[in-house]
Every structure is written in C-alpha cells, then in structure tokens.
Amino acid sequence: MTDKPRPNVEFEVIKDESDQFKRSVEVLLPNRISEQQLAEVAAYLHQGGEGNTFIGYQIDGDSDYGYWATTNYTPDLSVRVIGTASELGTDMESQSVSADTGEISREEYGENWPFTVDSGRLECWRGPAAVFVADGTVYQLNGVAKQMGHAPIDPIWRDNPAIPGTKISLGPVIQRALKLCN
C-alpha cells in the first residue's frame, strides 16, 4: 500500500467488506462534494489496489434510500453522482401509481418465494428501477436500481432447494415491480 495522504475532504468509512470477488465500502459525507473530490477519496480508499472496489457515498441526514454517489474500480475508476433521495423524488408514499400496493409475502408465492424474509414491498422508482423493501432496507432487483446504489439483494435471495447452487428466480417479482411504473 502506498502512503497517499488523506484528501482534504471530511468523510467517514462506515462499512468496509471484502470477499474473493470484490470490496464494498460505504462512506458517510457531511455534505455534497465535487466529482474531483469523490475521485480523490476513491483513490485514497483504493490504495491497496483491490480489483473490483465499489464505494457508495451517503449524505449525513439524507434518507437511507441509497447512495448519493458511487465510485467504482472495475478495474478503472468511474464516478457517478446519483443525487439525494429528496432530489430524486423517492418519497415512498408517492411512488406507486398502480392499484397494486406492491405488498408481497411468502404466503402468496409459496415455493417460488425468492427471499429469506417473510414479506416486503415491491416498488418502481424513477422509471425502471425495480426494488424490494424489507425491514427498512431498499434492495436492488435490477440493474437500474443497482446503478442508483441500492443494497444488493444477495443477502436475502433464497437458494433454490431443487437445484443446488442456484437461486429462486426473481423474474416474477421484477415483472410485478416494473408494472408499478405504469
């Protein structure tokens, strides 16, 4: 690891996890910073040179609907400012224009229930961002929601007991979430 000086930006690392494939870091910022400053923080945190490093930035006091910005090394650096929840209009009460409330449960789906939690709510944000909300966490169901920085679905995605090494299909719940956009 090189000894890069800490950037002149106030930030706090609130989570830093690694596995054999990637490193995931969550950073708390007291306020918005420039894309250049995001790149400086990313370079400082990436000093170890881990191949796939994903860094999500939250603004202190903003809701927990996702990241304000992300910087990712895959392997080159990309910087993306997404915006705060209030800027995105992600007020949960105003999201659904469909008669479907999005409430779903293990009881409704039976053996095809794809999650390890018993129930939650499907939502569709800003067009085609399909998400599943359970126990106060907003999980990504598709690539658009992933780009917005929502929590990965993997920790609550249920294994398929019929086919070892695979997961229960998310297809039906993603389709239902996307219908909430229309």
Side-chain angles (χ1 to χ4, degrees):
M1 178 182 233
T2 62
D3 290 323
K4 279 190 178 185
R6 184 179 172 100
N8 190 20
V9 175
E10 188 178 339
F11 69 93
E12 176 187 356
V13 174
I14 56 174
K15 179 177 157 187
D16 192 342
E17 299 177 346
S18 297
D19 62 27
Q20 65 189 33
F21 302 109
K22 69 179 181 342
R23 177 178 174 213
S24 298
V25 181
E26 289 185 11
V27 172
L28 184 64
L29 300 169
N31 49 36
R32 297 176 189 98
I33 59 177
S34 70
E35 287 187 25
Q36 176 61 38
Q37 290 170 311
L38 285 168
E40 291 171 9
V41 172
Y44 175 75
L45 293 174
H46 189 253
Q47 289 185 65
E50 296 85 358
N52 292 321
T53 300
F54 303 93
I55 306 169
Y57 301 84
Q58 297 176 358
I59 303 295
D60 192 20
D62 191 31
S63 65
D64 60 354
Y65 294 132
Y67 299 126
W68 166 73
T70 60
T71 54
N72 301 317
Y73 282 93
T74 59
D76 297 323
L77 175 64
S78 69
V79 177
R80 184 162 189 267
V81 175
I82 302 163
T84 62
S86 57
E87 292 168 340
L88 293 172
T90 55
D91 174 39
M92 293 173 82
E93 286 79 30
S94 67
Q95 291 305 302
S96 179
V97 295
S98 167
D100 185 351
T101 64
E103 297 292 331
I104 61 172
S105 68
R106 180 185 308 271
E107 182 177 307
E108 177 183 354
Y109 282 79
E111 287 303 310
N112 293 323
W113 179 245
F115 307 114
T116 58
V117 296
D118 289 330
S119 64
R121 185 176 58 253
L122 295 172
E123 295 184 1
C124 186
W125 292 1
R126 295 191 69 216
V131 298
F132 177 67
V133 182
D135 299 325
T137 300
V138 180
Y139 295 97
Q140 57 187 258
L141 290 176
N142 64 4
V144 177
K146 180 178 181 177
Q147 288 178 340
M148 291 177 73
H150 297 295
I153 196 70
D154 295 349
I156 63 164
W157 193 0
R158 193 165 77 100
D159 291 333
N160 185 341
I163 308 170
T166 66
K167 301 283 188 180
I168 299 289
S169 174
L170 293 173
V173 295
I174 292 171
Q175 289 176 351
R176 183 169 168 187
L178 292 175
K179 286 180 183 176
L180 294 172
C181 293
N182 300 326

